[in-house]
Amino acid sequence: MERVNLIIHNADYVKLLTELNALEKDRKFCKHTLEHFLDTARIMYITSLENNLNISKDIIYGCALLHDIGRVSEYKNGTPHNEASVEIATDILKKCNYSDREIETITTVILSHRKPQNGNTLGELLYKADKQSRLCFCCNAEKECYWDKSKKNYDIIL
């Protein structure tokens, strides 16, 4: 988990996360906080263990911690957050000792995380965990939320 800790202590990551928190300060819908990123990572990891997928914890956490970090660019200039997240992740992952192959794996998953994937792939883990980490079942803004009902998390899935 040394590389995961390098991510969360990376100066660029900390700056972007701080900026994202400020940009979403008054957001009534789900926020893109470190808690969301960690919840997503933990759900991904548990699911991978339950399905014997043998995916490295460093890869799972790399995907989850960086999948929405591009929201800052989306808010500032309209760049889709998955695309902006790929650019940001590439730079941060290089600084955190991920190999070129690992970076390609992580950024491919981040780029496609907004669409459902097929099977027990890393992309499917991220897509589902991203949704399962949300507490739609007890959210005061759920009725106003723009998410399609099929994406909303109304139950705890075991």
Side-chain angles (χ1 to χ4, degrees), residues 17-134:
L17 195 56
T18 301
E19 193 170 357
L20 183 55
N21 288 336
L23 287 165
E24 291 188 339
K25 181 177 62 105
D26 297 323
R27 181 180 163 97
K28 65 180 169 181
F29 301 113
C30 297
K31 295 181 182 180
H32 301 90
T33 61
L34 183 57
E35 291 81 7
H36 166 61
F37 300 156
L38 289 171
D39 288 346
T40 300
R42 291 172 179 140
I43 292 168
M44 287 177 72
Y45 188 64
I46 290 167
T47 304
S48 76
L49 291 175
E50 290 175 341
N51 291 284
N52 299 311
L53 299 180
N54 197 30
I55 301 171
S56 162
K57 200 184 272 190
D58 283 353
I59 299 297
I60 287 172
Y61 275 75
C63 290
L65 288 171
L66 295 162
H67 78 282
D68 280 337
I69 200 70
R71 291 249 175 211
V72 171
S73 295
E74 187 168 270
Y75 289 131
K76 286 181 157 186
N77 61 34
T79 303
H81 78 272
N82 57 322
E83 293 174 20
S85 293
V86 165
E87 288 183 37
I88 295 163
T90 299
D91 182 55
I92 290 173
L93 292 167
K94 283 180 184 175
K95 293 175 182 172
C96 296
N97 303 320
Y98 283 79
S99 71
D100 290 342
R101 185 169 169 242
E102 290 171 321
I103 293 169
E104 182 178 345
T105 297
I106 292 168
T107 56
T108 298
V109 169
I110 289 172
L111 186 62
S112 64
H113 85 270
R114 297 175 70 189
K115 298 177 186 166
Q117 310 293 306
N118 292 322
N120 282 333
T121 64
L122 186 57
E124 182 70 6
L125 288 180
L126 178 56
Y127 176 80
K128 287 182 176 178
D130 191 21
K131 306 300 176 264
Q132 291 171 351
S133 70
R134 301 308 191 168

